[in-house]
Amino acid sequence: MMAVPAAHVPPVPSVQFDAALIRKLSQQGPRYTSYPTADRFTETFGMGDYLQAVNSVRAMGARNPLSLYVHIPFCDKLCYYCACNKIITKNRSKAEVYLTYLKREIDMQGKLFAEMNHVEQLHFGGGTPTYLNDAQMGDLLAHLRKWFRFATDEAGEYSIEIDPRTVSPERVHTLRAQGFNRISFGVQDFDPEVQKAVNRIQPEHLTLGVMQAARDAGFRSISIDLIYGLPKQNLITMGQTLNKVIAANPDRISIYNYAHMPALFKSQRRIAEEDLPSPETKLDMLSLCIKRLTDAGYVYIGMDHFAKPDDDLAIAQRQGRLHRNFQGYSTHAEAEMVSCGVSAISAVGSTYSQNEKTLEAYYERIEQGELPIARGIKLSVDDLLRRIIIQMLMCNFELSIKSLELAYPITFANYFANELEKLRALEQDGLLKLDSEWLTVTPKGRLLIRNICMVFDRYLNSPREVKLERLKYSRTI
């Protein structure tokens, strides 16, 4: 029998939308930007533990590069949907005070990482990092360069989140000249009524103007954030927004599910619940987003992320180098993550640590000459094992059981006997395929990857876990 030419074999889709399966299995669960998740950090972890982690990295030869994160918490206006750690103020003097303390924290971190301070990745997040003016941004970057050695523009990834409402095309060119080579910004939705309902009026021409300026300035990557499930949204408005986004041709697109949790986030209480789309409409919008973006040539990376096939994220995923951290998907899996600023989270050695969440506490700790670490966690061998499993599943949608057994002194079937029972149930639902050598997530299972990862979450599945605690998480779909 003659073989069918490869060109005639229909390609297997990278992701499949199955509404019935999603309705059956969607539940509250973590987003796994870390494992253990940040809600497992404890106040028993302090500066001494962090110093010990840095010393252990140094003792191992400090071969890994650094990834720096800088948190700028200020915003001019409140977006009602926002769940970030931010400070709404028009008092610019607050930024001056903050920068004074931020630079002192950078001094402390710079001294700790002396001789192992090679940086290949930098990310400015918030809040709105461009709340800082040109001079403040230039001064802060110069201060970072005083303490850390940055890779060349070609080798390094230096990204910043911006608000198109507050950044002119001229400012975009300045940011490129200051060393940023990747840029991301929120659109959320182009529809004026949706924008009004979430208090984020952002005319289309502003967004498109900033995108064009970023291209003209030579930014390597342009990323846009969208949200589905916002008030006043429907399939028609979502389709119109997708038309405009696809025409704008960004390199990466993130489409987040709006999680309405007014009990946790005060600003969301300003959203009229009767204006929110129904769960069924939200599912239809997600289906539309996936179809339209994949039809337009974007690759489904995972979770909420899409990228062009030639984007670094898509290339890293194909090569098995993709990583997931507190900023989402990343190409620098081996980097130690050093984070500065209020509420910022570092990942150094086998630890996570988070800074104080309020300005007052953050300033007080720095005044005392201490790193402003409020809490954290030391990872056990079991944590490290489960973290690598969750990383592999989140990033590559498959797990080599044999490779895991070579790296860790375990027999997978014995160590994860309880988990295997749950995985078999998910296999019956069509989310994955499991044999003695591989766990492979199916195209249908990719949208529900958080459900699969939750099986391996020891904290979530411990007998002491209060099930009501899951209410603090967003839904997996």
Side-chain angles (χ1 to χ4, degrees), residues 37-51:
T37 51
D39 53 310
R40 308 299 170 185
F41 298 177
T42 69
E43 293 178 0
T44 58
F45 184 102
M47 189 171 93
D49 299 297
Y50 181 78
L51 296 178

Side-chain angles (χ1 to χ4, degrees), residues 112-369:
L112 276 179
F113 283 89
E115 308 304 323
M116 50 178 189
N117 59 1
H118 177 65
V119 174
E120 290 189 354
Q121 193 173 50
L122 171 70
H123 185 81
F124 271 57
T128 307
T130 47
Y131 187 92
L132 305 182
N133 61 37
D134 286 345
Q136 290 170 330
M137 185 67 75
D139 180 61
L140 179 55
L141 289 165
H143 199 79
L144 286 166
R145 292 186 182 110
K146 171 184 170 185
W147 288 105
F148 298 95
R149 296 180 297 111
F150 285 79
T152 63
D153 183 72
E154 293 76 21
E157 291 187 1
Y158 308 129
S159 60
I160 186 167
E161 301 168 10
I162 70 163
D163 183 345
R165 298 172 299 171
T166 62
V167 175
S168 66
E170 293 76 20
R171 178 85 196 269
V172 172
H173 281 265
T174 300
L175 290 169
R176 183 68 183 97
Q178 288 175 327
F180 294 104
N181 54 27
R182 296 176 177 273
I183 194 167
S184 66
F185 45 91
V187 171
Q188 323 317 347
D189 195 299
F190 275 119
D191 186 82
E193 290 303 310
V194 176
Q195 292 181 0
K196 192 184 301 180
V198 296
N199 198 41
R200 188 184 175 103
I201 306 300
Q202 185 172 313
E204 184 181 338
H205 73 271
L206 287 181
T207 301
L208 299 180
V210 166
M211 284 190 70
Q212 187 56 53
R215 287 200 176 92
D216 294 342
F219 276 87
R220 286 215 307 268
S221 177
I222 299 168
S223 178
I224 277 182
D225 292 346
L226 301 175
I227 300 177
Y228 71 95
L230 292 174
K232 303 288 189 182
Q233 269 182 342
N234 55 50
L235 280 171
I236 294 173
T237 63
M238 197 78 229
Q240 292 169 339
T241 288
L242 288 168
N243 288 342
K244 293 171 181 177
V245 167
I246 291 167
N249 200 30
D251 301 286
R252 300 177 186 176
I253 301 170
S254 298
I255 304 183
Y256 298 106
N257 169 22
Y258 171 63
H260 189 62
M261 295 189 283
L264 290 180
F265 306 109
K266 191 183 295 185
S267 62
Q268 294 185 357
R269 296 171 196 170
R270 303 192 186 193
I271 288 176
E273 295 200 12
E274 61 269 20
D275 289 339
L276 293 171
S278 68
E280 282 299 313
T281 301
K282 282 184 73 174
L283 273 185
D284 290 341
M285 285 193 283
L286 175 60
S287 175
L288 179 67
C289 290
I290 292 168
K291 176 170 174 44
R292 292 295 309 282
L293 292 179
T294 52
D295 285 352
Y298 286 90
V299 176
Y300 178 73
I301 299 296
M303 290 288 290
D304 329 279
H305 290 62
F306 297 78
K308 290 183 177 179
D310 59 352
D311 185 85
D312 285 350
L313 276 186
I315 293 169
Q317 187 172 56
R318 290 197 297 271
Q319 296 177 347
R321 297 184 294 104
L322 195 64
H323 178 62
R324 187 163 172 79
N325 61 25
F326 293 101
Q327 279 75 60
Y329 287 101
S330 165
T331 59
H332 287 65
E334 73 288 357
E336 307 290 346
M337 187 172 190
V338 180
S339 300
C340 296
V342 64
S343 79
I345 301 177
S346 296
V348 175
S350 299
T351 68
Y352 294 114
S353 54
Q354 183 171 28
N355 282 351
E356 298 283 359
K357 290 185 176 182
T358 67
L359 288 183
E360 294 75 18
Y362 177 76
Y363 294 162
E364 184 179 347
R365 295 291 297 280
I366 292 174
E367 283 287 3
Q368 293 170 358

Side-chain angles (χ1 to χ4, degrees), residues 424-443:
R424 293 294 181 195
L426 294 179
E427 185 177 33
Q428 290 295 313
D429 285 320
L431 268 65
L432 56 91
K433 293 180 181 177
L434 185 63
D435 58 35
S436 61
E437 295 192 359
W438 288 93
L439 190 169
T440 306
V441 180
T442 65

Side-chain angles (χ1 to χ4, degrees), residues 1 58 65 67 76 87 105 191 207 217 259 273 292 296 305 311 340 367 389 406 413 430 452 456:
M1 183 176 174
R58 187 181 296 279
S67 174
D76 273 319
I87 296 163
E105 185 191 1
D191 186 82
T207 301
E273 295 200 12
R292 292 295 309 282
H305 290 62
D311 185 85
C340 296
E367 283 287 3
I389 290 172
L406 286 173
I452 300 171
F456 291 98

